[in-house]
Amino acid sequence: MLSRRYQRICQTLDCRQPDLTVIMEDVHKPHNISAIIRTCDAVGVLDVHAMNQVVDGEELTTYAQVAQGSEKWVNLYRHPDISTAIQSVQQQNFKVYAAHLSDRAVDYREIDYTQPTAILMGAERWGVSNTAAELVDGHIIIPMLGMVQSLNVSVAAAVILFEAQRQRLQAGLYNQPRLTPELYQQKVFEWGYPELVDHYRDRQLPYPPLDAEGQIIKA
Ligand code: SAM
């Protein structure tokens, strides 16, 4: 791996926020999924959660794999249904806030995003389901002062995520790496040597150690 690429990978991993995530509930348009994942990368989100679904005739994972964009830098976790997705992050002590135009929604800027937080985004057409609305810890709304009732889902995700980024920058959460050293090293290898990942995975071998320049230390 070239030194410049290694530096870039490290700078990006230094900013990754393992306790900020997004759950997409039935967001199904590929350009919206792509835009949300791209924003996640820019804000430093490590993982995104989605339900098992098919996007334009393609399994979501396949879509993400072939999209060849920011999807390479953000982990996509699929869940069988929205309840499982919400509960899996709540079990890791995340608070889940649904971006949901409901009567009990509060202004999205009132939330403390420096705490472990998941933002749940609803489907383009139907919004957030009743099941999800009941399971989450709160509802947030981006005030709308015009004639239309809602934003495009990827735009809404960006508005909320950049507020989370603003708060976290202010709190110093981007000042030092927040991934465990093991996960950090794993990501350096996977991002720096993607062509070798299958070799190690297929053989269930640990990734080789890297030196301070990101070069593989030969045994
Ligand atoms: N008719 C749908 C509804 O009533 O919820 C509109 C869905 S909207 C196009 C898609 C998703 O974007 C919503 O489920 C929500 O997650 C998010 N969203 C859009 N505008 C929003 C806003 N002003 N505040 C909070 N979330 C919003």
Side-chain angles (χ1 to χ4, degrees):
M1 158 167 49
L2 292 175
S3 163
R4 218 176 26 195
R5 183 167 178 80
Y6 178 63
Q7 302 298 332
R8 185 67 190 268
I9 287 174
C10 289
Q11 280 164 6
T12 303
L13 288 172
D14 287 350
C15 293
R16 280 297 191 255
Q17 305 287 302
D19 53 358
L20 178 64
T21 190
V22 169
I23 301 172
M24 299 186 283
E25 184 185 16
D26 266 337
V27 176
H28 69 277
K29 292 189 177 160
H31 64 271
N32 284 335
I33 296 172
S34 240
I36 292 172
I37 293 178
R38 198 165 172 156
T39 300
C40 285
D41 174 57
V43 168
V45 169
L46 182 71
D47 302 323
V48 171
H49 300 263
M51 291 153 61
N52 255 331
Q53 58 180 310
V54 171
V55 177
D56 274 7
E58 290 233 53
E59 282 284 315
L60 181 61
T61 319
T62 313
Y63 164 72
Q65 279 164 355
V66 298
Q68 290 295 304
S70 319
E71 290 84 354
K72 281 191 283 187
W73 319 116
V74 179
N75 304 321
L76 180 67
Y77 289 97
R78 297 200 312 170
H79 301 269
D81 52 57
I82 193 62
S83 309
T84 313
I86 294 170
Q87 284 157 357
S88 78
V89 297
Q90 283 174 330
Q91 278 159 12
Q92 298 169 60
N93 292 325
F94 283 61
K95 290 265 189 263
V96 182
Y97 296 104
H100 187 35
L101 306 131
S102 76
D103 290 344
R104 67 176 173 106
V106 300
D107 188 306
Y108 74 104
R109 290 160 291 205
E110 287 180 26
I111 302 300
D112 179 359
Y113 298 100
T114 63
Q115 299 305 307
T117 306
I119 313 293
L120 186 143
M121 304 307 302
E124 289 91 344
R125 193 130 184 216
W126 313 112
V128 173
S129 67
N130 291 339
T131 307
E134 277 177 27
L135 281 175
V136 295
D137 299 284
H139 299 174
I140 52 177
I141 189 167
I142 303 162
M144 302 288 291
L145 306 178
M147 295 289 283
V148 292
Q149 204 200 352
S150 66
L151 297 168
N152 165 280
V153 64
S154 66
V155 173
V159 169
I160 297 164
L161 283 169
F162 276 97
E163 168 62 11
Q165 188 205 59
R166 186 191 69 77
Q167 292 186 13
R168 284 173 174 248
L169 279 167
Q170 208 164 45
L173 292 180
Y174 291 93
N175 292 353
Q176 52 206 8
R178 306 204 45 241
L179 304 185
T180 61
E182 295 75 27
L183 183 56
Y184 194 103
Q185 282 311 309
Q186 178 194 323
K187 288 285 156 201
V188 171
F189 184 80
E190 289 174 353
W191 290 6
Y193 299 96
E195 71 284 3
L196 297 182
V197 167
D198 282 349
H199 170 88
Y200 286 92
R201 281 199 187 145
D202 291 349
R203 292 162 182 76
Q204 298 188 324
L205 290 170
Y207 294 147
L210 304 177
D211 67 18
E213 307 288 308
Q215 301 306 311
I216 294 175
I217 300 173
K218 300 229 166 71

